[in-house]
Amino acid sequence: MQTKLEDLTNKAEKTGLIISINETKALRINTSKTDSFTLRGESIEDVDSFTYLGSVVAKDGGAAQNVSQRIRKANGAFVQLYPVWKNSRISTRTKLRIFCSNVKSVLLYGSETWKEIKTTTSKLQTFVNRCLRRILNIHWPEVISNEELWRRTGEIEMSTQIKRRKWNWIGHTLRKGHEAIEREALDWNPQGKRRRGRPRHTWRRTVHNEALEKGKSWSEVKRMAGNRTRWRCFVDALCPLRDNRN
């Protein structure tokens, strides 16, 4: 890694770019090595997580920190739009469209690559339900079930929305050329031996298991992605949409 860092630094300097020592961090995963990396003689700070292109990359490979950050950002966007939610002259339908485009888009940014865990999904669902109740002006002591809330707003469960986004992204990626690095990443098989114990529940293993539930192997999934019509039917079968609209 030190050699690669030096090569990158040299290549960058030839094009007039200088790598900032303050914005360069080292994150170690599954290694006991503690030797410091250096950049132009200065040590690079070791961190347990860092933000890259708006998403938090954590040492444990999970999405918990990223989900918490997305909820904070989405809540900030929701609060800024309070005048819209309070405006009685704006229809509920329009408010929900604004919520989807300005709040939910912030909340679910990068969710295609999240490893699904019930606790994180529950946090997302709780936040969305609270926002929807505020938009519909439902306050205590008025109480309605989540199912009724989703029926009135035409919403579906967050777990299904995330799953659909994930599989739509997978189809888009598989239709790219073989030279696309993101497509290579879907098939990349890291070398080496696993540690003893139960295999970790990874994003990739989840994808393969979901496909197998519909009787499709990964090789069949890759072939099917080229046919957009078949792919849409496959995604609909994996993530069925309920008609909650009035």
Side-chain angles (χ1 to χ4, degrees):
M1 288 304 300
Q2 180 64 48
T3 301
K4 290 179 181 295
L5 180 60
E6 292 172 355
D7 290 344
L8 177 62
T9 303
N10 294 333
K11 293 289 185 182
E13 289 179 347
K14 289 180 180 179
T15 62
L17 300 175
I18 298 177
I19 298 177
S20 170
I21 184 67
N22 294 325
E23 297 179 7
T24 304
K25 311 295 179 184
L27 189 150
R28 304 170 190 267
I29 300 176
N30 294 333
T31 180
S32 58
K33 296 183 180 296
T34 58
D35 298 340
S36 298
F37 298 111
T38 59
L39 180 62
R40 296 190 296 276
E42 297 185 58
S43 296
I44 293 176
E45 178 187 3
D46 278 38
V47 296
D48 292 331
S49 65
F50 67 93
T51 302
Y52 178 70
L53 297 179
S55 296
V56 177
V57 181
K59 186 175 182 178
D60 60 3
Q65 292 186 49
N66 202 10
V67 168
S68 297
Q69 183 193 64
R70 300 321 308 174
I71 291 176
R72 288 194 297 270
K73 289 181 178 293
N75 185 64
F78 186 81
V79 170
Q80 286 185 329
L81 290 168
Y82 265 174
V84 174
W85 316 137
K86 294 178 180 179
N87 194 328
S88 59
R89 292 179 296 178
I90 300 177
S91 68
T92 300
R93 179 182 175 85
T94 300
K95 290 179 180 179
L96 291 173
R97 294 182 66 180
I98 293 174
F99 173 73
C100 289
S101 62
N102 291 272
V103 179
K104 195 192 293 184
S105 60
V106 175
L107 179 68
L108 297 182
Y109 175 80
S111 61
E112 295 84 353
T113 58
W114 291 349
K115 183 174 66 174
E116 184 177 354
I117 301 177
K118 289 185 178 180
T119 53
T120 56
T121 305
S122 177
K123 290 180 180 178
L124 293 167
Q125 190 67 70
T126 300
F127 170 76
V128 170
N129 289 349
R130 186 172 67 248
C131 292
L132 293 177
R133 283 183 164 85
R134 180 66 185 83
I135 292 173
L136 296 184
N137 200 28
I138 298 174
H139 302 285
W140 182 263
E142 183 182 0
V143 178
I144 65 171
S145 66
N146 289 336
E147 288 72 19
E148 176 63 16
L149 178 67
W150 300 338
R151 188 192 68 80
R152 293 188 189 181
T153 58
E155 279 287 315
I156 60 175
E157 296 181 57
M158 293 305 298
S159 58
T160 302
Q161 293 187 49
I162 294 173
K163 191 174 180 180
R164 288 187 68 89
R165 289 171 67 101
K166 176 179 67 178
W167 279 99
N168 284 331
W169 177 80
I170 290 173
H172 174 72
T173 302
L174 290 176
R175 285 189 289 271
K176 291 190 174 184
H178 292 281
E179 71 284 353
I181 190 170
E182 58 269 38
R183 177 170 178 173
E184 292 182 18
L186 291 179
D187 288 320
W188 180 62
N189 185 24
Q191 302 302 305
K193 295 183 179 179
R194 292 185 179 274
R195 294 182 177 181
R196 295 181 61 183
R198 183 178 179 181
R200 295 183 61 188
H201 184 67
T202 63
W203 179 90
R204 181 175 177 180
R205 187 172 288 111
T206 299
V207 168
H208 288 195
N209 290 340
E210 289 173 352
L212 287 174
E213 289 176 2
K214 296 301 178 182
K216 300 294 183 181
S217 66
W218 181 242
S219 57
E220 290 176 308
V221 167
K222 290 192 292 184
R223 289 195 297 269
M224 185 168 45
N227 187 318
R228 293 178 182 269
T229 301
R230 287 190 62 197
W231 186 258
R232 283 193 291 268
C233 293
F234 176 65
V235 173
D236 287 340
L238 274 173
C239 325
L241 294 174
R242 296 177 302 173
D243 188 4
N244 295 319
R245 300 183 185 277
N246 293 325

